[in-house]
Amino acid sequence: SQQGEEDPQALSIQEGENATMNCSYKTSINNLQWYRQNSGRGLVHLILIRSNEREKHSGRLRVTLDTSKKSSSLLITASRAADTASYFCATDGWNSGYALNFGKGTSLLVTP
Amino acid sequence: DAGVTQSPTHLIKTRGQQVTLRCSPKSGHDTVSWYQQALGQGPQFIFQYYEEEERQRGNFPDRFSGHQFPNYSSELNVNALLLGDSALYLCASSLWGRGVETQYFGPGTRLLVL
């Protein structure tokens, strides 16, 4: 079963705009990660945020985590056409052992 | 430094057949996990291998089995293929005991069952 649920399912923006994706999960976690996937290929790790962190930055990426609401958001600033991809959140926790639990993903389209 | 590699990249099988997928972990990694990603879905954990033993298993039937070799590479075997087994199969390698943050994914093998 999917632990995370991303919102929206699909997002279309123009280059230069910001893109925000949300992820909600059901059970307590140790870490939450965001991955990117281009055209059904392998997963590229973007950023990891631990359960005791509230915000993290990496380049044009900003991730927030609200454990009280069991939710996270990924903000991509100044989007580029190359950011077009599917984005997944993945959680791990004591009840999942070594397995990552992924959501269904958000499909992002950035048009020039 | 080679990352995680998987073979083959694509595969077409018919219902009832058996398939073997292969994964070589990133250099220095000793743990391999397998995930199934159906079209339009997120990856689902199948199982994880360390020291040639299955350490954890997701909600998949016994038709899915695996193996890890002394050089840490791994195989995923699926017997009696069903149409619903059509998916992208992802392999991830990591360092045992070092947490999920060491995990790297391969490019995947796309399996089509006709």
Side-chain angles (χ1 to χ4, degrees):
Chain A
S1 62
Q2 309 274 177
Q3 157 79 313
E5 291 288 338
E6 286 90 344
D7 169 56
Q9 287 188 325
L11 181 60
S12 182
I13 60 174
Q14 290 190 317
E15 270 191 326
E17 293 181 336
N18 295 340
T20 300
M21 290 160 259
N22 303 297
C23 166
S24 59
Y25 55 91
K26 299 173 185 174
T27 60
S28 62
I29 62 171
N30 289 336
N31 307 286
L32 186 144
Q33 302 180 74
W34 286 91
Y35 285 86
R36 184 184 74 221
Q37 185 176 46
N38 292 84
S39 301
R41 301 175 69 180
L43 294 167
V44 175
H45 180 261
L46 296 176
I47 196 165
L48 177 150
I49 187 165
R50 302 187 189 280
S51 60
N52 61 354
E53 297 176 312
R54 292 297 169 257
E55 188 171 315
K56 206 161 183 180
H57 297 255
S58 178
R60 295 183 296 114
L61 305 180
R62 172 178 170 257
V63 170
T64 61
L65 178 64
D66 186 336
T67 53
S68 67
K69 295 181 180 179
K70 291 187 171 58
S71 67
S72 172
S73 67
L74 171 67
L75 168 67
I76 304 175
T77 60
S79 296
R80 306 166 181 168
D83 294 327
T84 294
S86 292
Y87 292 81
F88 295 90
C89 67
T91 60
D92 68 274
W94 299 113
N95 64 342
S96 66
Y98 304 102
L100 289 178
N101 293 296
F102 286 84
K104 293 183 179 181
T106 291
S107 179
L108 173 66
L109 174 65
V110 182
T111 54
Chain B
D1 178 21
V4 180
T5 59
Q6 293 185 243
S7 62
T9 56
H10 295 82
L11 203 52
I12 299 175
K13 292 285 188 178
T14 56
R15 280 178 297 175
Q17 285 190 314
Q18 179 263 344
V19 68
T20 298
L21 310 182
R22 296 175 177 83
C23 171
S24 291
K26 177 179 169 61
S27 177
H29 283 184
D30 56 10
T31 304
V32 173
S33 302
W34 287 92
Y35 289 80
Q36 180 197 64
Q37 186 179 19
L39 195 63
Q41 302 292 315
Q44 297 268 330
F45 176 77
I46 304 175
F47 43 53
Q48 182 182 71
Y49 277 83
Y50 169 67
E51 287 189 335
E52 303 179 48
E53 289 187 13
E54 183 182 293
R55 299 292 175 161
Q56 186 177 349
R57 188 180 185 92
N59 188 24
F60 279 80
D62 291 344
R63 299 187 297 108
F64 289 77
S65 63
H67 187 78
Q68 186 180 35
F69 299 93
N71 67 352
Y72 308 122
S73 67
S74 176
E75 288 181 349
L76 164 65
N77 301 292
V78 187
N79 294 322
L81 284 168
L82 304 173
L83 296 180
D85 294 332
S86 295
L88 179 69
Y89 288 85
L90 295 163
C91 166
S93 73
S94 57
L95 277 168
W96 181 260
R98 293 290 299 277
V100 296
E101 55 263 43
T102 68
Q103 192 158 209
Y104 287 81
F105 281 85
T109 293
R110 186 161 295 283
L111 171 65
L112 177 61
V113 182
L114 301 175

